[in-house]
Each structure stands twice: as structure tokens, then as C-alpha cells.
Amino acid sequence: GFDDNAYEVVEKALSQSEGQSARQQSGSMSYGQSLRNLMRLQEDANTWTCPPLLINVAASSTSDDIIQIDIAETLLGREGGRNVPSPEKRNDDNCYWFAKIFNINTDEFREKEIVREIKAACRAAGFTVNCKYKKMEYGNGCIEVKCCRGTYHCEEKSLAHNRKKARSTKSNAAPKAIKKKTTKPVHGQDGNDTRCPFHFQIYWDEKRQRWFLPKIQRGNRVHCGHSPIDPADIKLETKNSISPEEEEIARDSLQSHISTAATQNLIRTRTGETLSWQQVYHMKKRQENAQYGGNENTACDRLLHYLTTTDGISCTFLFADPKTHLLSEKVKKDKRNSALTVEQLGKQLLGDDTDSPAIYAKGLKGRKELIHTETGELMLAVAFTTDNQRRKFDMFPEFVSGDDTEGTNSEKRSLYTLLGKDQNEKVFPIAWAFMPSKSQWAYDWFFGVAMPKLHPGDAIKRVEIVLTDADKQETMAVENNIGGNLKPSVAELRLFINALHRWCAWHRINRNFTQDSKYKPTLTRVKNSCVLSKIEVDVLERWLWYFIKNYETEEEVNFCRKLLDEYLNDEQQNLHIGEVDKADRQLMLEFITSSFQNHRHKLFESKFNCAHMGNVTTSASEAYHRGLKKAALGPTPGCDLCIAAKKIIDLANLREDEKSKKAAFDANATFGKADDRERTVQEFSTFCNDKLSTESESSDDYLQFRTAEDTFLVKCDYDKFDLDFDQELGTSIDQINSLFDNEDSAAKEEELDEAETKKLDRLKERLLGNCTSVTAKYRTMLRESMKYIIPRFERTRVVNLVQMPDGTWVLVCSCRLFNTRRYACRHVYRVLKRHPTLSDANVRWQNGYCQHYGRSDELTDAYMDLRSAELPGIIVTDEEVASIKSTTRVGSGDRDEDYFLRSYKKLYLRGSNTFWHENSERLRHILGDSICCVPVKPSSVASTAPISKTSSTASHSQNGPTFGEKPSTSFGAAKMVHHSSTFAVPSQSRSDDCHNDSEMQIGNCDFVNNHPVDVDDSHKIDLATSFHPRYVNICNYAESAGDNGIAVMAKHFNHCQRRFLNFFNNSTISEDQVAAEKPPKSGSSPYVRFKHPFEVICRMAQRTGTAGIEVVSDELLVCQQELVSLVDGKKLSTKKSDSRRRKVTSPPGKSTRKRPGEWP
């Protein structure tokens, strides 16, 4: 494309450049000449003859033996070529026939079988082609194969095609101009307007139903306008590069969340073909669009589609209308024929003037990815779970830990996860939620609305502790839904009726003290001043952990709090391990007073005698989230909500499958060594066996004394073993002096020269190690210092042999281990003197419980019966009872009685050379005359005083809920979208069975079971059972009356319940002024729907005696009279759905309980 002037200019400029003459040699061409020669060679290379095009065909029309031919040899051009033979003249002499299996002429078949092979052959020859099918007369046709440079580029057609493509960008800005290239020739462009004449045809014979290729045809084998390309550099479409089987493998790889680059390398390893990253990514996006909806759908649409159409997933969506500010909640239904239901949100979501659902929804305007396209509503929150998680939560609901994390999705929604722990003390997710914010209303929706819908059954009622960090909004929401600290009358109205709320101790001590900007500079300065000062601060920090983990009673807590105050206020610092300035000690005391001791009801062990399984921090949640985000298959900040949810669920299912297989293996395997079989229980999990073995072996370090026929005192032999549960702190304080001389204190450092200072620094480095860890020597010093300073107690445990009403013998220990961990303690093993057996732990620790629960009806019922048995201790056999009673006489034991009684119902300090013993005279005002034994009132040894009720746990008045003197606001009318799978957890099935066990009876409201109610014995009878016949009768009338009957029941039950609430809370509102709640929509029988309100009303009546019974009786009578008038002669409904009867009459071997994998 250069003219003569251009060549002369280039040649002249190069000849004048520096050093040009030195590089030129005689007889060589100039640069311009070389450039012209290069252009000439390139132009000559653009015209070339096609090399062999090899394909496989049949040997003849009657034989399918495969031969290889060269298509290029059949292309003789217009002069030497011939037209395609007519149908009647086609034979083996003039045609190459494809194999008989090529007997289909459809678009899909041509693309997969014919075109793919042709393009592969042309690629091997160094060029690409376009294939187009052309119809001919009498049903015949042909595939026209042309070189890709055989047609001109059409700019208008290309622009029109690009405008049709849907944009996936989130921005509304105009698209950025992209400079695209084309391989086609451009008409009128110098040097690039030559069309390539290469072409040929492959024909279809309709009569013979065969594809064939003429042996001589008028195709052209010459290429013009382009040069051949290395086959490895030619890029084909994915469908023409790899086989359908390999493409399916690639899609499965992407479906498994394997990265695009890894899938690209997998294809290259298997096929040798290198697809571009864009091709693999396009394959991934096509698959996602097919699974979650089209590319034009929003992230909310795709998430809703995935969660509501995937079997085994239950979900709840909370939506808001951006225009009307109304809330709606979409719920996935548990019926097969109706996946979604929209229902009213019957719970107010609490907010304030600065943060509420309405304010938050206004701030989300413009976030198109959160809009539900079908309704135009804005998604605020979504919570979801799977059938595996529902089953596991129904099995292990005692302990619940909640925490949130960031960086899991592109919408920057925090992921809130609720976790539990299984029989191997491994965490499992209970539910997940993409939270809109960290506001109270969001947490209140999750705990109060979403959780009951995601987890039906009684698992929520069996939760004993909810562990979270100390976030104020989260705390208020949890307290609004738990009832473990409330009066029974108020607790009945809470969802988590038996649960306590505990704060994470690590966040309180680490985040709010040692790493807080207010205290960290002071603590760091004190620690760096001297090794002993560092030990002093570390010991004080660990003393705080003793309040959280080790002090069991309020007396121990109060006594040690006085000692801690005295220690920090002590002016004689020379008697301490390390000296700390008074100002620094006062700063530490300020934290203890303002942020630690006043939250004892949220932190200290003495307040939580429940099944917390030894968990005092949210480390399980932190570790789960860290593992989730670091997993190769886990969510990333670039994932949209749908992909993030799928990755979370898939990863959880993968881990649960591994755990389930391990549980099945453990349940059916036994230990190989005889000693292991003797000391362990095959039915228990590995974790439980390890704990029971530790407790059994530790019992050898304990002594016992029999004080009565069925009572034993058990105590550690502290003279030989200075240890206790979780309190191994060392043996000798003298080791401190051997490692570091106390006289070389920080006061003498000023007198050291430079060499001595370096020597001391090296000594500190050996003791303290680097910034991330400490040496074994320093840990030894720290343990001995803890033993010297931190007060620890000798404890005498009482083990009683108790006979239950059914004749079962139970060993009950006064320690908290069985209540908090659900397995036997070392004190019991000291009395039993045997290895662990199957009765030594709760059923939750059995491998078979995890393997069979919810999968076998008979075994499930047996496990549920064992689980519901609330025993105070472990069961012992009659032979063991006889052995216990015959081993030790009453009044005798392993040591004299005084040794046991000195710490029985007393606070007896351990040791003899501690700080408190050495300074007993100075601290007489605290320790008293007996420096190591502080009497305790017998009634307060195991104090379980309720936590003072805050405003957040108080009942809400009719004037509107309040918290912290700020009015709470509701957010409009409400409905939700909820989706539940058809799987029913066992506790849910048993609850439904109980609803249908009773036959309908008709009696008078003044009589219970046809007998008059004796008001003097009202505290002895169960009113729910007594009024049950009347309740069944009312439900039958209501069902016969339809929706009007449901409305009548809702009105009267709400009216009755409000009367009791007003009575309990001294409300001035008349019960007649209370507006009846709107009845819930249909979907279940009146019996099931109103069972819980009926039981609550009866329990309230039971506590109020005669007046309460009269209120319930009158309300039920009025309700029945109104229902009778509605029915007015209609046939009374007696419909029943007794699942137990269906189970008996169902075919053998079939279970009526839905399980994962049994979906329609």
C-alpha cells in the first residue's frame, strides 16, 4: 500500500540516521527495498492451493467400511468439474457415500455430525469455513461450504446484530464504544477487498436417505486474499472444537463451581484443544441463565427462581414496595402443587426514627439487581435452609451460635449464619440469611419470623442457649424472642421459650479490652516495661476468663470480685508479681466495673446451667465463615446473590454428606484393639468416647466418702493432684525465680550499661519469643503466676443414688457437667468404679441417632422417646446399685470426713502459699478470721437467680412497643413469600400426630370430661387436657363454618389471651378495646392452627386459679355458641388426618415421613 514517494522518504531518513553507514555492507538491499520485497512475498502468499482435506466416508453405498478421502481432489473448478449427478445416476462410481448412520437431515444432526467434521478438516488445512444448508427440489439439499473470506463484511448488518444483544451491565450509562475487528474482506479497501473463491458442496439424497460427496464437482480449491494459518492458532466455536461429551464434562465442572481457568485447563488436558477463557466463560453464563433465568433477569429474580424451584430447600423472602413502602414476605409452601405463597406479616419489625425498614428501602432505590421483575418489589432480606439442616437442627437444637460476615456477594449483603453442633462436636449450619443491614428490625425478622417458617416442629422450643457477639441491635432482637430468663407467663409467648442468651467472651475481653484503642496503648506499655509486668497483665486477663469459664456459683463470683478489686487497689505493689502504676490499674478496674462485671448475666458461667456444650465464644461461627470464604468452592465478593447462595448450599451439602458417611461407618464399625473396646462404647461418637474416657481415667485422682445410704461425697485428692476440671495450672511457684530473678526488676535497668542491656533484651526475647507466640519457659512462668494470684477453690461434689417413680435408679451429681455437656462426670465414675457404658451419655451422642433419625420410623420414635426422657443423671442397673451399696460402709471412705466437709457448702481456697495466704493479715477484712474457708448459705449454693428484666424483654403494651425510651415504628402492612420443601422433620410429624389423637367429645363448658371442675384442685389438673374435648368440638364447628368459623375462633382466642396479658402486666386497657387480629389464611386445620394459642391460654388460666378457669370456660362457651349459630344445621365436620393410622395401613416397608430425595 506504499507509493514511490513513501519509499523514498523512508529510505532517505534511514540513510541519514546515526551508524547507518557502519551497518550497511556492499551489495546488500536498502530498508525500503527489503520492505517492498516483504510486501511482495506476503502478496504472493495470499494465493495458494488448498492442501488435502481428509474426511472419513464409507467404502461404498452397501458397505460401511471406513476409508479416508481428500475432498480437495474432487474440486476441479468450472472447467474440469461436473454438476452433481441426478438422483437416478448416483452410484459408487461417481459418489462418495457417508456411512449408513448418517441418515438424518435435521439442523441439529447436520451441526453435530457433518459440519463439525468439515470444519475440523478445514482447520487442519489452515483455514476456516462457513457452512449453510440449501434446500433443493424433491426434498434434496446440500451444505454449501465456503471460505470465511468468501463474502464481504457488512457494517450495517453487524451493528444491527450487536444492538439485539442484551446488556448484562448494572449501569444505565451509555455503552462504551468497542473497536471490533473482522476477518472478512472489506469492499473497496486496498489490499483487503479480494474474496476467496474456495467452496464445495456436500449433498443429501432424499430417496436413499444418505449424505454423499460427488467424486468430481465444480468447487474451487484455490484460496485468494489470505494466507494459510497454523492449525493451532485457529479459533473455532466451542461446539466445533470439542465433542458433546467433553462439553458436558466442562458444564459439570462449571456446575461444581470450578473456576473458569481450571475448567479451561481441564478441557485442554482431556482433548488437547485450547478454548479461550471467553469461550469457557460464555459456556458458564449460558448454563447459569438456563438454570436461574435469563440474562435479562435481576439477581433477585435468579435467587428467587433457584431457591423456590430446587428440591430440598426452604426459604423466606422479605420484600418492600418502593412506592407504597409496604412490606411483603414470600414463603415457599410445603405443598407440592403450590411452590409459593404470599401471606401477611403478622409481626411488627421494630425500628426507630433513624433506622427502619422504610428508611432502608428508600436508600435502596435504584438498585435494579434487588428488584423482583414480576412484581416490581424490592428485596430486603432472604433466609434459607435445606432439608439436611432442618433434620440436623431437629436432632441437635440445644446450642445455637449466630454471627455474620462480609465479602460473600456482589451486592455487599452480610451473610448471617446460625450454627449448631452435632454428635462429634462439629458445626453444622441451621439457616443462612442475606441481611439488609445490622439493624434490630432485620435481626428481629430473622429470629421472630423467618426461623419458625424455616424450622417447623419443636426444635426451636428445645434451644437452650443462643450465643452471639454483643452487638446491641442483635442482642435486642434475640432478647425479644427468648424466654429462658422471663417469668413463665411471659416466656410462653416467646418462640425460643427455653433459651438463654449469652455473649461471646472473646469479643468482650479481646475486642473490648486488650485490643480496644482506649486500653491497648496502656496495656502494651505496661507489658513492654518489664517481663514481670507483662506476666502481671496476662494473669489479670486470664483471671477474667476464670469468671467466664470456671466460677460456678454467685458466691464464688462475688467473693472473687472482691479479691480482684482489692488486688488492683493494693498499694503494696512490691508484693505482686510485677509492679503496675496506680493510674494503669485504675484504668483496668474501670473496664472491669463498667464493661465486664455489670454484664455478668451475659458472660459468666454461674448464669448458664444449660447445655452450652462448653462454648463461651462464637469461635465456631468465626471458623465456619473463614472456612466458607477460603474454600475453593466457596462464595466470593464477585458472586451475585444466586451464585453465592448456591455455593453456600452446595458446600454445606458436600460436608454433610461426608459427616453422614462417617457417622454410618462409626455406627457399624468397632475398635480393633481389645483394650479400646473395653474402655469405650461403640455406639457413641468419637468425641463422646474421648470425653468419657478422660472422665473415667480422671476418677482415679478423686476420693469418696459415704455419708448416707444413698449419698456420697466426692473430692479431688488436692494433696497429690493440684488440678481440677479445666484448671491445670502447674505445680511449683519456685520455677519463676529459677527462670528470672525477681531482684533484677525494671528499677535496676537504669543502672545497666549497653552490653548488659542487650543481654537483658536477649533474655526477654528468649522468654517472650516473637510477637505472635511465647516460649515454653514463659508459659511455665505464666502458669505458676496464675496459680499464685488467681483464687481457685476446692470443691466437694455430692453424688446421690435416686430411684425414679418408675423404679429406675439414677446417679445424680451436684456438678454441672451433665447439665452442660449431657454425659457422665468423673465424680460419678468414682462411685461406679467401672468403664463407660451406653447409659452414661445422652442419646444425642450416639452415632445411630445421627444415622437413623428421620429415616426409620421405628428407630426415630425410639430415639425421640429417649430424648424426651428428662433424667437428672445417668441410669444405673440394679446390679450396679447393689455393688455401690456393698462397696463402702456409711460413715467411711477414702479419707476422713473433715477433708470433705471443709469445702462442702463453703468457699475453700486451694493451696497454701498463694498471694492470699501470704497476705492474710492485711486482707482480713475480706477473708475473715478463717483465711481460706468462707461459709455459704445452703440455699444459695446453686443459685439460679433470674436476670433482671430490661426494657427489651418487657412485654409490649397495646400503645406500641418501645425500647430504650425510643418509640418503635412498624413498616406498613405485610406479607411474605415463603417456600418450604415437602420434608417433615420427625418432631413436626409427632406434633401433628398429637393433634389428631383425641376423638371428638361434646360436653358442657362447666364440666371437664363430664365431671365438674373442682376449683380447689385447679393446680393439680392439666387444663389443656381437661378442656381438650371442648376445644375439639369448637374446631369441628369452625371447620364446618369455613373461613367465617376461622375468624370467630381467632377473635375469641385473641380476646381471651389479651385478657390474661392485661392481667399479668397490669395494663389499663380494657379487653373489650383490644382489636381482634386478622385470621390467618387457610392452609391447615383449625385444630393445628389454634393448638398453640389454646395451650397458652390454658397455662395462663392454670396460674390464676379459679378466676382463670372461669375466664376460659366462659370464652369457650361464647365461641361455641357463635359457631353453632354459623353452622345452622350444616353437617358437622369430623375430618381427621391421623398420620399414625395411615402409617399402620400403609404398605409394608414404606415410610410416611418425608425424607430428602423422596420429592415428586
Side-chain angles (χ1 to χ4, degrees):
F2 288 90
D3 56 17
D4 295 338
N5 292 333
Y7 287 115
E8 293 176 0
V9 171
V10 172
E11 185 174 357
K12 183 178 179 181
L14 292 176
S15 64
Q16 294 176 356
S17 62
E18 184 178 357
Q20 177 67 22
S21 59
R23 292 191 297 270
Q24 287 184 345
Q25 299 178 3
S26 60
S28 63
M29 293 188 298
S30 65
Y31 183 84
Q33 292 173 338
S34 299
L35 188 59
R36 284 193 293 270
N37 184 53
L38 175 63
M39 300 296 294
R40 181 180 58 79
L41 293 175
Q42 289 180 346
E43 184 176 354
D44 293 341
N46 286 341
T47 302
W48 50 288
T49 301
C50 178
L53 294 178
L54 303 178
I55 64 169
N56 295 325
V57 295
S60 66
S61 60
T62 58
S63 174
D64 271 354
D65 294 339
I66 301 300
I67 62 173
Q68 194 175 64
I69 66 168
D70 179 10
I71 298 179
E73 293 180 352
T74 67
L75 309 179
L76 301 182
R78 288 184 176 273
E79 298 179 358
R82 302 174 184 174
N83 293 329
V84 60
S86 58
E88 62 275 4
K89 295 182 179 181
R90 295 169 187 169
N91 52 49
D92 295 341
D93 295 332
N94 56 19
C95 297
Y96 291 116
W97 299 94
F98 283 73
K100 293 180 180 179
I101 59 174
F102 294 89
N103 58 355
I104 301 175
N105 185 18
T106 62
D107 292 341
E108 182 180 1
F109 183 83
R110 289 194 301 266
E111 194 67 33
K112 287 184 178 182
E113 303 297 338
I114 307 295
V115 174
R116 184 174 176 274
E117 294 297 329
I118 296 300
K119 289 189 175 182
C122 294
R123 177 187 182 183
F127 63 98
T128 58
V129 294
N130 290 326
C131 300
K132 182 179 180 181
Y133 181 72
K134 179 181 178 181
K135 293 183 179 180
M136 303 173 68
E137 59 183 2
Y138 307 119
N140 298 315
C142 70
I143 299 176
E144 294 183 342
V145 181
K146 290 185 178 182
C147 179
C148 286
R149 293 185 59 88
T151 57
Y152 284 124
H153 168 68
C154 182
E155 187 173 350
E156 292 76 13
K157 184 177 180 180
S158 178
L159 291 175
H161 175 73
N162 291 335
R163 293 190 193 102
K164 295 179 181 179
K165 295 182 179 179
R167 296 183 62 208
S168 59
T169 179
K170 300 179 182 179
S171 174
N172 294 325
K176 183 180 178 180
I178 301 177
K179 297 180 180 179
K180 294 186 176 181
K181 292 186 176 182
T182 178
T183 59
K184 295 181 178 181
V186 179
H187 185 68
Q189 183 182 11
D190 292 340
N192 191 34
D193 62 346
T194 303
R195 291 190 298 175
C196 181
F198 177 88
H199 72 282
F200 66 91
Q201 291 83 26
I202 297 177
Y203 295 91
W204 167 256
D205 189 321
E206 179 67 19
K207 182 178 180 180
R208 294 176 175 84
Q209 293 290 302
R210 295 281 291 275
W211 288 94
F212 70 95
L213 183 71
K215 291 186 177 183
I216 300 176
Q217 59 174 304
R218 295 184 182 277
N220 196 328
R221 64 184 299 179
V222 178
H223 290 271
C224 296
H226 65 98
S227 59
I229 307 173
D230 191 307
D233 297 334
I234 295 178
K235 177 182 175 181
L236 295 180
E237 295 181 1
T238 303
K239 60 184 179 182
N240 297 319
S241 298
I242 59 177
S243 65
E245 293 77 13
E246 296 296 336
E247 189 174 356
E248 183 69 21
I249 293 175
R251 284 197 295 266
D252 291 341
S253 174
L254 296 171
Q255 178 76 10
S256 302
H257 309 300
I258 296 177
S259 66
T260 303
T263 304
Q264 181 186 17
N265 190 49
L266 174 66
I267 296 173
R268 184 177 183 274
T269 302
R270 291 182 57 87
T271 65
E273 295 287 345
T274 302
L275 297 184
S276 67
W277 186 91
Q278 290 78 5
Q279 285 179 297
V280 181
Y281 182 76
H282 179 65
M283 187 191 307
K284 176 181 178 180
K285 296 304 294 184
R286 281 190 306 166
Q287 182 169 317
E288 290 178 357
N289 293 337
Q291 184 174 3
Y292 312 127
N295 189 44
E296 66 279 0
N297 292 341
T298 64
C300 173
D301 295 334
R302 294 191 293 271
L303 179 63
L304 184 64
H305 180 270
Y306 168 69
L307 293 180
T308 56
T309 59
T310 305
D311 290 337
I313 296 179
S314 301
C315 61
T316 298
F317 286 80
L318 183 64
F319 286 90
D321 191 331
K323 298 180 180 179
T324 62
H325 297 164
L326 296 181
L327 283 181
S328 63
E329 188 182 31
K330 297 186 187 299
V331 180
K332 184 177 178 184
K333 234 178 181 182
D334 58 354
K335 291 187 177 181
R336 298 183 179 182
N337 297 329
S338 181
L340 285 178
T341 178
V342 179
E343 55 189 49
Q344 292 204 351
L345 181 63
K347 180 180 178 66
Q348 287 184 323
L349 302 183
L350 306 182
D352 52 38
D353 296 335
T354 60
D355 190 6
S356 67
I359 297 175
Y360 181 78
K362 291 179 181 178
L364 290 180
K365 285 186 177 180
R367 297 282 295 275
K368 289 188 175 181
E369 288 299 308
L370 300 179
I371 296 293
H372 186 208
T373 306
E374 183 178 346
T375 62
E377 295 176 329
L378 181 68
M379 187 189 76
L380 296 182
V382 56
F384 52 95
T385 189
T386 67
D387 289 344
N388 281 332
Q389 314 331 123
R390 292 174 61 188
R391 175 176 168 269
K392 292 292 285 288
F393 182 50
D394 196 48
M395 295 167 60
F396 310 105
E398 301 89 353
F399 167 78
V400 170
S401 174
D403 196 13
D404 59 2
T405 187
E406 307 291 339
T408 61
N409 57 87
S410 59
E411 297 299 328
K412 298 182 179 180
R413 291 296 186 95
S414 61
L415 173 66
Y416 191 86
T417 308
L418 214 58
L419 298 176
K421 287 198 172 183
D422 60 16
Q423 81 282 3
N424 274 309
E425 198 68 2
K426 302 295 184 182
V427 298
F428 66 90
I430 297 172
W432 303 274
F434 288 122
M435 302 292 282
S437 67
K438 297 183 180 181
S439 304
Q440 182 188 350
W441 66 266
Y443 290 114
D444 193 54
W445 171 81
F446 176 75
F447 284 100
V449 179
M451 277 297 292
K453 293 183 179 297
L454 297 180
H455 291 281
D458 63 358
I460 291 180
K461 295 181 180 179
R462 291 185 282 122
V463 174
E464 297 190 29
I465 188 167
V466 179
L467 186 61
T468 67
D469 56 29
D471 180 80
K472 180 181 178 182
Q473 309 300 330
E474 184 180 8
T475 297
M476 290 189 292
V478 173
E479 288 180 348
N480 287 336
N481 290 281
I482 63 172
N485 295 329
L486 306 178
K487 296 179 180 179
S489 58
V490 182
E492 297 289 351
L493 305 178
R494 302 299 175 91
L495 290 171
F496 297 80
I497 184 173
N498 297 311
L500 300 174
H501 182 214
R502 190 170 192 171
W503 282 350
C504 173
W506 183 85
H507 282 84
R508 178 58 49 175
I509 295 179
N510 185 279
R511 292 288 181 85
N512 300 129
F513 182 48
T514 60
Q515 299 299 321
D516 188 83
S517 58
K518 181 179 180 181
Y519 305 103
K520 184 177 180 179
T522 300
L523 297 177
T524 303
R525 175 173 49 79
V526 173
K527 289 182 178 182
N528 293 336
S529 63
C530 176
V531 175
L532 296 180
S533 297
K534 175 177 174 58
I535 293 177
E536 181 84 1
V537 174
D538 288 343
V539 169
L540 291 174
E541 177 187 345
R542 283 156 178 77
W543 195 346
L544 300 183
W545 280 100
Y546 261 71
F547 284 95
I548 291 172
K549 297 187 66 175
N550 298 94
Y551 297 147
E552 296 181 355
T553 64
E554 286 298 300
E555 287 69 28
E556 292 180 356
V557 170
N558 295 331
F559 179 70
C560 292
R561 170 62 199 278
K562 293 179 182 179
L563 298 183
L564 179 58
D565 291 346
E566 183 65 28
Y567 190 82
L568 289 175
N569 290 318
D570 190 7
E571 297 297 335
Q572 298 187 27
Q573 287 290 297
N574 60 323
L575 300 178
H576 294 204
I577 297 294
E579 296 186 17
V580 182
D581 293 340
K582 182 176 181 180
D584 299 335
R585 286 185 277 115
Q586 291 300 319
L587 186 64
M588 299 179 195
L589 191 60
E590 175 189 343
F591 166 78
I592 294 172
T593 303
S594 61
S595 302
F596 189 71
Q597 291 287 347
N598 60 336
H599 295 299
R600 62 172 61 189
H601 63 286
K602 293 290 187 183
L603 295 168
F604 291 1
E605 176 68 17
S606 60
K607 295 293 185 179
F608 299 96
N609 190 16
C610 59
H612 55 67
M613 307 302 168
N615 296 280
V616 297
T617 68
T618 56
S619 58
S621 298
E622 299 281 352
Y624 172 80
H625 285 149
R626 183 166 55 251
L628 180 69
K629 293 188 290 186
K630 288 187 177 181
L633 305 181
T636 62
C639 298
D640 68 8
L641 293 176
C642 179
I643 300 300
K646 187 177 187 306
K647 286 187 174 183
I648 292 169
I649 292 175
D650 288 349
L651 195 58
N653 290 337
L654 181 65
R655 291 174 176 173
E656 289 303 321
D657 289 344
E658 294 176 355
K659 293 179 185 178
S660 181
K661 291 178 180 178
K662 185 181 185 305
F665 174 80
D666 291 342
N668 295 279
T670 186
F671 292 97
K673 296 181 180 180
D675 185 62
D676 292 339
R677 291 195 295 271
E678 181 182 357
R679 296 176 179 273
T680 57
V681 182
Q682 177 182 344
E683 289 79 5
F684 286 149
S685 65
T686 302
F687 173 83
C688 183
N689 270 318
D690 291 343
K691 292 299 181 181
L692 290 179
S693 297
T694 301
E695 296 297 319
S696 177
E697 293 170 2
S698 300
S699 64
D700 296 336
D701 302 336
Y702 282 71
L703 306 174
Q704 68 169 342
F705 186 90
R706 188 175 184 180
T707 60
E709 182 69 20
D710 298 327
T711 303
F712 297 83
L713 301 181
V714 180
K715 183 178 179 180
C716 179
D717 189 354
Y718 291 104
D719 295 339
K720 294 182 179 180
F721 307 98
D722 187 16
L723 51 87
D724 201 350
F725 182 67
D726 279 347
Q727 295 187 25
E728 176 55 57
L729 298 178
T731 56
S732 175
I733 196 172
D734 295 334
Q735 296 183 21
I736 294 180
N737 296 327
S738 65
L739 295 175
F740 193 86
D741 191 354
N742 192 30
E743 295 180 0
D744 294 332
S745 61
K748 293 186 178 182
E749 292 186 15
E750 299 177 358
E751 305 174 2
L752 300 178
D753 56 20
E754 183 177 357
E756 292 174 332
T757 302
K758 291 182 178 179
K759 183 178 179 180
L760 182 60
D761 291 340
R762 287 194 298 269
L763 177 60
K764 289 181 179 179
E765 186 176 355
R766 288 202 308 271
L767 288 173
L768 303 181
N770 53 35
C771 298
T772 59
S773 62
V774 295
T775 63
K777 294 182 178 180
Y778 180 79
R779 286 194 293 269
T780 302
M781 294 173 61
L782 184 60
R783 285 198 304 268
E784 300 304 331
S785 301
M786 292 171 62
K787 178 182 176 182
Y788 180 70
I789 296 175
I790 299 177
R792 299 173 297 140
F793 301 99
E794 292 186 4
R795 292 192 175 105
T796 299
R797 306 297 188 180
V798 181
V799 178
N800 289 313
L801 189 59
V802 180
Q803 189 173 24
M804 305 300 290
D806 60 355
T808 303
W809 287 96
V810 180
L811 266 182
V812 182
C813 182
S814 61
C815 76
R816 304 157 63 95
L817 187 65
F818 189 80
N819 287 338
T820 59
R821 312 293 177 90
R822 298 293 194 263
Y823 52 76
C825 63
R826 59 192 64 186
H827 316 105
V828 167
Y829 283 120
R830 180 56 189 166
V831 176
L832 284 172
K833 297 182 177 63
R834 62 161 172 80
H835 295 305
T837 63
L838 186 58
S839 61
D840 292 352
N842 187 273
V843 68
R844 79 180 309 278
W845 299 113
Q846 295 185 22
N847 287 314
Y849 180 55
C850 183
Q851 181 186 8
H852 301 297
Y853 186 84
R855 296 170 177 170
S856 170
D857 284 350
E858 294 182 357
L859 290 175
T860 297
D861 292 339
Y863 282 125
M864 293 179 70
D865 292 337
L866 290 175
R867 186 180 67 189
S868 61
E870 298 180 357
L871 298 176
I874 68 168
I875 297 176
V876 291
T877 63
D878 293 337
E879 293 77 9
E880 290 174 335
V881 171
S883 176
I884 291 173
K885 292 184 176 182
S886 62
T887 301
T888 307
R889 294 182 294 103
V890 176
S892 62
D894 300 327
R895 199 161 177 176
D896 58 280
E897 186 176 8
D898 293 338
Y899 177 76
F900 296 89
L901 295 180
R902 74 184 187 186
S903 57
Y904 177 62
K905 297 184 180 180
K906 302 180 183 68
L907 301 182
Y908 192 90
L909 289 177
R910 290 166 55 182
S912 59
N913 59 344
T914 66
F915 175 85
W916 312 106
H917 291 83
E918 294 176 357
N919 297 274
S920 58
E921 293 299 328
R922 293 193 305 113
L923 304 176
R924 186 176 295 273
H925 60 285
I926 296 179
L927 299 175
D929 296 333
S930 180
I931 64 170
C932 59
C933 184
V934 181
V936 178
K937 295 180 180 180
S939 60
S940 61
V941 172
S943 175
T944 56
I947 303 171
S948 58
K949 183 167 67 175
T950 62
S951 58
S952 63
T953 59
S955 300
H956 302 304
S957 67
Q958 190 66 19
N959 295 327
T962 61
F963 186 86
E965 303 299 329
K966 292 183 179 180
S968 299
T969 59
S970 61
F971 185 43
K975 52 182 180 174
M976 290 200 308
V977 173
H978 176 74
H979 166 78
S980 295
S981 68
T982 57
F983 174 69
V985 294
S987 65
Q988 181 184 3
S989 302
R990 173 168 287 196
S991 177
D992 293 341
D993 293 344
C994 294
H995 291 160
N996 302 302
D997 279 344
S998 301
E999 296 292 337
M1000 183 187 68
Q1001 299 180 14
I1002 300 178
N1004 194 299
C1005 278
D1006 296 332
F1007 290 79
V1008 177
N1009 292 340
N1010 296 325
H1011 295 284
V1013 176
D1014 187 354
V1015 296
D1016 294 334
D1017 294 334
S1018 61
H1019 64 286
K1020 300 180 182 180
I1021 62 175
D1022 182 7
L1023 291 183
T1025 303
S1026 302
F1027 282 116
H1028 185 265
R1030 174 57 54 193
Y1031 173 71
V1032 172
N1033 194 16
I1034 290 175
C1035 291
N1036 290 325
Y1037 278 111
E1039 189 164 2
S1040 300
D1043 292 340
N1044 293 333
I1046 299 295
V1048 170
M1049 285 192 69
K1051 179 183 68 174
H1052 285 283
F1053 276 66
N1054 180 70
H1055 181 260
C1056 184
Q1057 184 170 321
R1058 183 60 63 183
R1059 292 176 67 181
F1060 281 112
L1061 290 179
N1062 290 342
F1063 172 77
F1064 286 128
N1065 298 316
N1066 297 322
S1067 176
T1068 57
I1069 301 176
S1070 170
E1071 61 269 12
D1072 295 329
Q1073 298 174 348
V1074 178
E1077 296 181 354
K1078 293 182 179 180
K1081 289 189 176 183
S1082 59
S1084 59
S1085 66
Y1087 187 98
V1088 175
R1089 189 174 309 172
F1090 293 98
K1091 182 67 185 303
H1092 180 67
F1094 169 71
E1095 293 174 347
V1096 172
I1097 289 172
C1098 291
R1099 283 193 288 268
M1100 290 179 174
Q1102 191 110 23
R1103 299 187 185 97
T1104 54
T1106 305
I1109 295 178
E1110 293 177 354
V1111 167
V1112 175
S1113 180
D1114 293 342
E1115 197 72 46
L1116 292 179
L1117 178 61
V1118 174
C1119 181
Q1120 181 181 1
Q1121 291 174 347
E1122 189 170 349
L1123 289 171
V1124 170
S1125 62
L1126 283 176
V1127 174
D1128 192 21
K1130 294 181 180 179
K1131 184 178 180 181
L1132 187 63
S1133 173
T1134 58
K1135 184 177 70 174
K1136 289 187 174 292
S1137 56
D1138 194 333
S1139 61
R1140 292 191 178 275
R1141 292 180 182 176
R1142 291 199 307 271
K1143 183 170 62 176
V1144 173
T1145 58
S1146 61
K1150 292 188 178 181
S1151 172
T1152 59
R1153 184 174 289 115
K1154 302 293 188 301
R1155 298 191 293 268
E1158 293 186 359
W1159 320 126

